[in-house]
Amino acid sequence: LPSAVAKAEVAHMPLFGRLATALQTIFVDRKDKDSTAKTIAAIKQRATEPRWPPLVIFPEGTCTNGDALINFKPGAFIP
């Protein structure tokens, strides 16, 4: 099964947290200023080492702040 990139809060969700951890999810802590660099390094490592499962990356899930649409954040899609 593929693993994914998800926000760190997912790790603490009942059932989903255990499943995500078991699937070797890369967790991004938005409060940690070094988390982006760590996430990019983990993605690069998994992309170049065949022992890791396939990695699924979804675009930013938030599209509104409640009043209007917000800008898409390209994140991992920046080469």
Side-chain angles (χ1 to χ4, degrees):
L1 292 174
S3 60
V5 177
K7 61 184 178 180
E9 292 85 359
V10 170
H12 305 291
M13 294 177 158
L15 187 61
F16 290 110
R18 287 186 180 194
L19 179 62
T21 300
L23 292 174
Q24 300 175 322
T25 297
I26 298 172
F27 294 108
V28 181
D29 184 355
R30 296 179 181 188
K31 296 175 185 171
D32 178 6
K33 64 178 182 150
D34 298 324
S35 185
T36 300
K38 292 175 188 174
T39 301
I40 292 169
I43 290 170
K44 286 180 180 179
Q45 177 188 25
R46 292 186 185 199
T48 58
E49 294 180 10
R51 67 181 178 94
W52 289 102
L55 185 63
V56 178
I57 301 174
F58 297 99
E60 176 68 42
T62 304
C63 61
T64 179
N65 63 5
D67 294 324
L69 293 178
I70 58 177
N71 292 333
F72 175 76
K73 298 178 184 177
F77 300 100
I78 296 175

